[in-house]
C-alpha cells in the first residue's frame, strides 16, 4: 500500500507540474508551427522569384487579377461566357466562405483545447490511477498538435497548387 500511495503522490506532483508546463508546450507548438510556415513562405517566394521571368508579377497578384477578370467578364460580358464567368465567380465566393468557416472552426477548436488544458492536467493523476496510462493527456496533445500543424500542411499544398496551376 505504501508504494501505491507514493506512486499516487508522484502522479499528483506531475499533475501539478503539468498545470504550469502544459501552456509552455502549447506555446512552443504554436511558435514552431509559425516558424515552419514562415520558412515555407520564404522558400516558396524565393522559388517563385527564381523561376519568374524579369518583370513578371507575383503569384498573389496574378491570382487576384484572374479573379477580377472573371468578375468583370460576368458583369460586362454577354451570353454564355458571361453566365459561365458568373458561375465561376459564385463558386469562388462559396469556396472562400467554406475556407472561412473551416478556419473559424479551427480557431474555435484551438481556443477550446487551450481552455481545457488545465482540466486535462488536473485529471492526469486520476486517469493514471486506473490503468497506469494517461489517455486524456495523450489524446489532448495529439489533437492539439494535429489541429495546429494542419495549417502548415494546408499552406504548403495550397501554395504549391497555385504555383503549378498558373
Amino acid at each position: 500500500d505504501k508504494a501505491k500511495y507514493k506512486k499516487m503522490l508522484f502522479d499528483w506532483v506531475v499533475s501539478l507540474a503539468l498545470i504550469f508546463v502544459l501552456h509552455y508546450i502549447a506555446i512552443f507548438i504554436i511558435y514552431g508551427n509559425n516558424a515552419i510556415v514562415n520558412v515555407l513562405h520564404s522558400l516558396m517566394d524565393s522559388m517563385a522569384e527564381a523561376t519568374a521571368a524579369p518583370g513578371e508579377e507575383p503569384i498573389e497578384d496574378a491570382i487576384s487579377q484572374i479573379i477580377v477578370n472573371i468578375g468583370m467578364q460576368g458583369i460586362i460580358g454577354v451570353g454564355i461566357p458571361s453566365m459561365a464567368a458568373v458561375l465561376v465567380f459564385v463558386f469562388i465566393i462559396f469556396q472562400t466562405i467554406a475556407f472561412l468557416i473551416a478556419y473559424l472552426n479551427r480557431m474555435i477548436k484551438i481556443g477550446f483545447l487551450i481552455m481545457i488544458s488545465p482540466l486535462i492536467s488536473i485529471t492526469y493523476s486520476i486517469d493514471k490511477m486506473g490503468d497506469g496510462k494517461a489517455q486524456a493527456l495523450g489524446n489532448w496533445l495529439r489533437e492539439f498538435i494535429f489541429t495546429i500543424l494542419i495549417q502548415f500542411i494546408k499552406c504548403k499544398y495550397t501554395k504549391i497548387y497555385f504555383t503549378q496551376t498558373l
Side-chain angles (χ1 to χ4, degrees):
D1 284 344
K2 196 173 186 180
K4 180 181 173 184
Y5 291 127
K6 280 185 181 179
K7 176 105 172 87
M8 287 173 55
L9 182 62
F10 179 75
D11 289 340
W12 277 104
V13 170
V14 170
S15 178
L16 186 63
L18 273 174
I19 290 175
F20 299 106
V21 174
L22 203 57
H23 287 88
Y24 290 112
I25 293 170
I27 290 169
F28 175 75
I29 292 168
I30 291 170
Y31 279 129
N33 179 58
N34 288 342
I36 291 170
V37 169
N38 288 337
V39 166
L40 181 67
H41 183 67
S42 64
L43 180 69
M44 295 301 285
D45 282 347
S46 64
M47 283 176 47
E49 288 175 7
T51 59
E56 191 175 88
E57 61 187 46
I59 188 145
E60 288 86 5
D61 293 341
I63 293 170
S64 298
Q65 190 62 38
I66 290 170
I67 292 172
V68 167
N69 289 342
I70 291 171
M72 293 306 287
Q73 177 67 29
I75 293 170
I76 298 173
V78 179
I80 293 176
S82 176
M83 285 188 267
V86 168
L87 288 175
V88 168
F89 196 74
V90 167
F91 175 74
I92 291 171
I93 289 173
F94 280 130
Q95 190 170 11
T96 303
I97 292 170
F99 277 129
L100 175 69
I101 291 169
Y103 282 111
L104 284 176
N105 183 23
R106 178 179 169 265
M107 182 184 69
I108 291 169
K109 188 175 184 180
I110 291 170
F112 178 75
L113 287 171
I114 289 172
M115 283 181 8
I116 67 166
S117 63
L119 294 175
I120 297 299
S121 58
I122 289 172
T123 60
Y124 171 82
S125 59
I126 298 168
D127 194 18
K128 192 115 182 204
M129 244 189 318
D131 57 357
K133 297 177 184 174
Q135 293 97 356
L137 179 64
N139 290 339
W140 180 89
L141 200 55
R142 190 176 319 112
E143 189 70 28
F144 187 76
I145 290 172
F146 176 74
T147 306
I148 293 291
L149 291 181
I150 196 73
Q151 178 189 13
F152 157 68
I153 295 167
K154 287 180 179 178
C155 175
K156 175 183 169 187
Y157 289 114
T158 303
K159 188 81 168 180
I160 289 171
Y161 173 76
F162 279 125
T163 304
Q164 291 175 350
T165 305
L166 298 176

